[in-house]
Structure formats: structure tokens, C-alpha cells
């Protein structure tokens, strides 16, 4: 090198890719997780399904996916917004295909999607029951399976140096919310099984119960009752859940594996 030559700058390290499902609204938990991981150095692929929000009480948020993608890009992340109907058994394969084509191999899978329509033992229809299990349970299993089949990170067998992460969001709802609670309970078991069955890949898998997080679905009566039932005297926020997901996806969170974590402020069930 001559005296006038400058050393070339070291290449920027590649950002790992996180695939987050259920990022359809800017105030949702999925969006909060996406923001936190983007700020922590992840590129983000995320899914959303506008027709679901449209048929719920809160309604669809026009332009939400584009707005969230812009926020993530402003934080330095490459993004891929993928609209996907998770009732179809071929959706997980198509989601991973698009995420990989646009961003590269997926390192972390965060399952934040949900079908959630209140009904109990006596008034749940077969159609609603099947749809809840198709979205909350079957799609989650197929997404985890697709992740396991494609994972190309550093294997952890024998050295504890694995890099893969699976985090799923669950709920303890049961009474008056039968199909949602039952399908989430099945999701728990699938995710915890992954902690053992994917261990040879260097993948950890955990479940988070975020407790009462108001993302627009609560009425005033619910807010008051749930706040009173929480020792900290407040409701959860998407940021609360996002911080825990961020930790679990970090190198520091590697030793936490195969757990169902209640991040709920001590709220009574």
C-alpha cells in the first residue's frame, strides 16, 4: 500500500433475518416486536392478512403494512411485507420462499399471528373451530416445520453455539373463548416439542404468554378489570413483549429454551 492509499473499510456484517407473522396493525404486538428487532440489527420479513382485521371489531388499518415497512427501513432494516392467508396449508412454504428470495435465510421465527373470535362451548361453530385450529395450530406447526427444514445457521450440537430462534405467542384464555384458547394450547405443545426435536440444528424454541395487552380490542370495562387484576397496576404494551422476544433472540437468551414464559406483570389468570 502506498502512502496515498487508504485502507478499505471492513464490510458491514450481514444482518440476520427474522420472520414475524401477524404484523397487520401498527399498534399490534407483532409490529412492536418488528420495531424492536429492527432496532437490534435484524432484517424483517413479516406477514399480515387484511381480510381478518376487516371482519373484526377494530377493522382494517389502511396502509398499515407499508407504514410499518417504512418504519423498519428507517431503523436500518431490509424488509419484506408478505400478505398471506394462513388458513391454506401451502401458505407457510410460500411465505418462506418469498422471505428467502427477498432477504435471505431466516434465523428467527416469531409466531405472532392469531385467529381470535370469542365463543364458548355451546355456541362455537364447527367452521369457527376448524378455522382457529387451521390458523393458530396447523399453520404454526407448518411454519415451524418449514423453518426446521430450511434452517442453515450454525449447528449447536456438542458446542452450544446454535443461532436459531423460535418464539411463539400464546394465551391462557379458555372460558368464553374456547376455540382460541384450545388452539393456542396446542400451539404451546408444538413449540415446546421443537425445543427438543430441533436441538441438533442449534435452535431454541420458547412460548410467551404476554398477558393483558391492549391493542384496541378491549372496552373500558375490560381495561378497568384487567388493570385492577395486575399487581403493577397497568396493562401490558407491545413493547413489553417485544423486549422479551428481543432477549430470547439474542445470544444472551440462548440458555432459555423449551419454556412457557408468562410476561404478564403478575396478572391473575
Amino acid at each position: 500500500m502506498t502512502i496515498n492509499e487508504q485502507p478499505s473499510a471492513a464490510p458491514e456484517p450481514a444482518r440476520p433475518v427474522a420472520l414475524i407473522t401477524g404484523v397487520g396493525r401498527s399498534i399490534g404486538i407483532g409490529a412492536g416486536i418488528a420495531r424492536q428487532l429492527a432496532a437490534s440489527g435484524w432484517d424483517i420479513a413479516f406477514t399480515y392478512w387484511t381480510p381478518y382485521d376487516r371482519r373484526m371489531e377494530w377493522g382494517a388499518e389502511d396502509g398499515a403494512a407499508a407504514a410499518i415497512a417504512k418504519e423498519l427501513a428507517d431503523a436500518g432494516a431490509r424488509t419484506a411485507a408478505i400478505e398471506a392467508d394462513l388458513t391454506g396449508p401451502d401458505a407457510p412454504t410460500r411465505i418462506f420462499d418469498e422471505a428467502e428470495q427477498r432477504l435471505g435465510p431466516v434465523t428467527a421465527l416469531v409466531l405472532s399471528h392469531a385467529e381470535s373470535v370469542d365463543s364458548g362451548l355451546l355456541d362455537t361453530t364447527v367452521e369457527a373451530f376448524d378455522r382457529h385450529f387451521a390458523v393458530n395450530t396447523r399453520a404454526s406447526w407448518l411454519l415451524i416445520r418449514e423453518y426446521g427444514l430450511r434452517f442453515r445457521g450454525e449447528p449447536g450440537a456438542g458446542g452450544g453455539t446454535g443461532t436459531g430462534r423460535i418464539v411463539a405467542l400464546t394465551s391462557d384464555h379458555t372460558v368464553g373463548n374456547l376455540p382460541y384458547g384450545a388452539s393456542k394450547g396446542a400451539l404451546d405443545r408444538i413449540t415446546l416439542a421443537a425445543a427438543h426435536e430441533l436441538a441438533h440444528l442449534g435452535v431454541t424454541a420458547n412460548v410467551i404468554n404476554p398477558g393483558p395487552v391492549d391493542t384496541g380490542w378491549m372496552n373500558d370495562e375490560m381495561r378497568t378489570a384487567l388493570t385492577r387484576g395486575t399487581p403493577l397496576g397497568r396493562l401490558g404494551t407491545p413493547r413489553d413483549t417485544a423486549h422479551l422476544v428481543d432477549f430470547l433472540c439474542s445470544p444472551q437468551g440462548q440458555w432459555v429454551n423449551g419454556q412457557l414464559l408468562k410476561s404478564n406483570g403478575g396478572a391473575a389468570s
Side-chain angles (χ1 to χ4, degrees):
M1 182 170 63
T2 68
I3 195 168
N4 293 323
E5 290 178 333
Q6 297 296 320
S8 58
E12 290 289 330
R15 293 168 64 108
V17 176
L19 170 58
I20 307 169
T21 60
V23 186
R25 298 187 301 138
S26 59
I27 63 172
I29 293 177
I33 294 169
R35 293 185 188 102
Q36 182 62 50
L37 289 182
S40 294
W42 293 76
D43 289 335
I44 308 293
F46 66 88
T47 74
Y48 65 100
W49 183 235
T50 304
Y52 170 72
D53 291 316
R54 191 171 291 131
R55 64 182 166 85
M56 301 303 287
E57 290 183 7
W58 51 77
E61 181 183 345
D62 292 338
I68 293 168
K70 183 180 184 305
E71 276 191 78
L72 304 180
D74 289 344
R78 295 182 303 139
T79 65
I82 305 167
E83 187 163 22
D85 179 3
L86 291 175
T87 60
D90 61 336
T93 299
R94 292 189 290 102
I95 290 167
F96 268 88
D97 283 345
E98 185 167 349
E100 288 187 345
Q101 288 166 8
R102 296 172 63 178
L103 300 180
V106 173
T107 297
L109 172 63
V110 182
L111 301 175
S112 182
H113 66 275
E115 171 76 19
S116 179
V117 179
D118 292 350
S119 61
L121 281 166
L122 302 182
D123 61 337
T124 294
T125 66
V126 171
E127 186 274 334
F129 188 89
D130 288 349
R131 188 172 62 248
H132 279 78
F133 272 83
V135 174
N136 297 341
T137 307
R138 186 181 67 191
S140 297
W141 157 54
L142 291 173
L143 284 160
I144 290 172
R145 184 178 74 170
E146 199 70 29
Y147 173 84
L149 291 171
R150 298 180 187 230
F151 183 72
R152 300 195 293 275
E154 184 179 358
T161 56
T163 56
R165 300 288 187 269
I166 298 170
V167 181
L169 301 191
T170 191
S171 172
D172 54 11
H173 281 200
T174 50
V175 179
N177 211 354
L178 169 72
Y180 176 68
S183 57
K184 283 290 191 175
L187 161 66
D188 298 352
R189 296 300 178 260
I190 292 167
T191 307
L192 298 180
H196 298 270
E197 295 191 23
L198 301 183
H200 65 289
L201 299 176
V203 171
T204 65
N206 294 284
V207 185
I208 295 174
N209 182 342
V213 178
D214 186 8
T215 57
W217 58 272
M218 295 183 190
N219 57 35
D220 290 341
E221 183 179 354
M222 288 179 182
R223 291 187 190 94
T224 299
L226 291 170
T227 299
R228 287 174 178 168
T230 305
L232 291 179
R234 69 170 177 86
L235 298 173
T237 69
R239 186 181 294 270
D240 293 322
T241 307
H243 284 314
L244 181 52
V245 174
D246 189 31
F247 170 73
L248 292 174
C249 289
S250 73
Q252 292 75 24
Q254 183 190 43
W255 191 236
V256 183
N257 189 25
Q259 303 300 309
L260 198 168
L261 305 167
K262 289 191 174 183
S263 175
N264 62 3
S269 299

